[in-house]
Amino acid sequence: MPVHRPRTPALRRPRPVAAGVLLAALALPLALPGPASAAGDAAGVPARGTARMGQGVIAHDGQGGGTPSVPRAVQTEGVDVSSHQGNVAWQTLWNSGVRWAYVKATEGTYYKNTSFTQQYTGSYNVGMVRGTYHFATPDTTGGAAQANYFVDNGGGWSRDGKTLPGVLDIEWNPYGAQCYGKTQAGMVAWIRDFVNTYKARTGRDPVIYTATSWWKDCTGNNAGFGATNPLWVARYNTTVGELPAGWSFYTMWQYTSTGPTVGDHNRFNGALDRVVALANG
């Protein structure tokens, strides 16, 4: 009798995957938990810590053309710098007529300028009167906490004729909602906590850097700081324009972000002896 062997079922070969489907699958982003990384995200939000003075001025407030009109009073040229500039050519700036500088020291309670030493000591070594500024992020921690962080990390003051009072840089939020999710009253309270704490720590009223349009939107054009805090106004145009409520004059004016050597250039509303007077308190 013939021997009947059981039939072995044929092994099925896997069906080929269309090349287009495979490529599409490989292109899908991986879903990672948690917030965006420190390097920013694909939507164009910059990394935390990278904010700098005047970052939102052109986008939100515009930029005029030409050279600022000649003021009636003598004014003194200055610059502001952050880690974006790295090592700054201070001697070149001095030779061009720059006599004062502000250096970013801190942001929030999470960032210290990685180029701080070269910028702060370098400006001093060429003879400039210099100070430091804090980029405020009112949505991360309170005003008092940020003022303390600033003072503890480069924002202090001494009566040596070369150290300007610290600056609260309060402007458009590069990381989210322009007013940091605060009501106008809430923003005013945050600023008040910062300036009061800074004065308690240093004996000086800090300068407030802002733009008129931001101040109107986010504080309701509050007039409560003009009597105590010098104003540094941002306006990229040939004239300074309208000032925020409470201030009848500006102490400093950031008029461009496209200056030579360092982009951000400013004018102090007075001769060099008035810059020294502000340093001395």
Side-chain angles (χ1 to χ4, degrees), residues 227-239:
T228 52
N229 301 93
L231 172 66
W232 187 351
V233 66
R235 185 76 174 98
Y236 297 172
N237 214 317
T238 55
T239 60

Side-chain angles (χ1 to χ4, degrees), residues 9-30:
L11 295 174
R12 288 191 173 184
R13 294 183 179 180
R15 297 178 63 184
V17 177
V21 175
L22 179 60
L23 289 175
L26 292 174
L28 290 173
L30 293 175

Side-chain angles (χ1 to χ4, degrees), residues 22-264:
L22 179 60
L23 289 175
L26 292 174
L28 290 173
L30 293 175
L32 298 176
S37 72
D41 63 29
V45 177
R48 284 278 179 183
T50 61
R52 60 192 183 277
M53 185 175 277
Q55 185 165 334
V57 173
I58 294 176
H60 296 275
D61 209 36
Q63 181 175 29
T67 304
S69 57
V70 178
R72 287 174 290 179
V74 175
Q75 300 207 337
T76 308
E77 195 76 6
V79 295
D80 58 270
V81 298
S82 67
S83 61
H84 288 268
Q85 281 77 32
N87 289 344
V88 174
W90 291 111
Q91 190 63 54
T92 300
L93 286 166
W94 178 268
N95 294 343
S96 73
V98 174
R99 292 295 179 264
W100 59 275
Y102 266 98
V103 176
K104 180 179 179 180
T106 50
E107 177 179 321
T109 51
Y110 51 80
Y111 174 81
K112 294 181 282 187
N113 180 4
T114 54
S115 299
F116 181 81
T117 300
Q118 192 276 344
Q119 294 175 349
Y120 192 63
T121 60
S123 54
Y124 177 88
N125 287 340
V126 298
M128 292 185 190
V129 186
R130 84 290 188 243
T132 60
Y133 77 87
H134 173 81
F135 193 95
T137 56
D139 57 339
T140 59
T141 44
Q146 292 195 27
N148 282 317
Y149 185 78
F150 178 41
V151 173
D152 292 341
N153 293 283
W157 174 77
S158 59
R159 193 187 299 273
D160 58 3
K162 288 285 190 177
T163 306
L164 291 160
V167 173
L168 169 62
D169 178 359
I170 186 82
E171 56 174 296
W172 293 280
N173 179 10
Y175 311 118
Q178 96 166 356
C179 299
Y180 300 86
K182 290 196 173 293
T183 63
Q184 292 174 341
M187 183 63 75
V188 169
W190 192 97
I191 295 170
R192 182 66 63 196
D193 282 347
F194 184 100
V195 300
N196 286 348
T197 302
Y198 185 86
K199 184 169 185 179
R201 290 287 308 274
T202 67
R204 294 299 307 272
D205 291 299
V207 175
I208 292 178
Y209 168 96
T210 195
T212 302
S213 60
W214 184 92
W215 192 261
K216 284 182 172 181
D217 288 344
C218 297
T219 74
N221 211 20
N222 184 275
F225 297 92
T228 52
N229 301 93
L231 172 66
W232 187 351
V233 66
R235 185 76 174 98
Y236 297 172
N237 214 317
T238 55
T239 60
V240 72
E242 181 186 4
L243 298 180
W247 286 281
S248 58
F249 63 91
Y250 64 89
T251 298
M252 290 167 278
W253 167 26
Q254 187 188 57
Y255 67 87
T256 186
S257 61
T258 57
T261 310
V262 165
D264 290 356

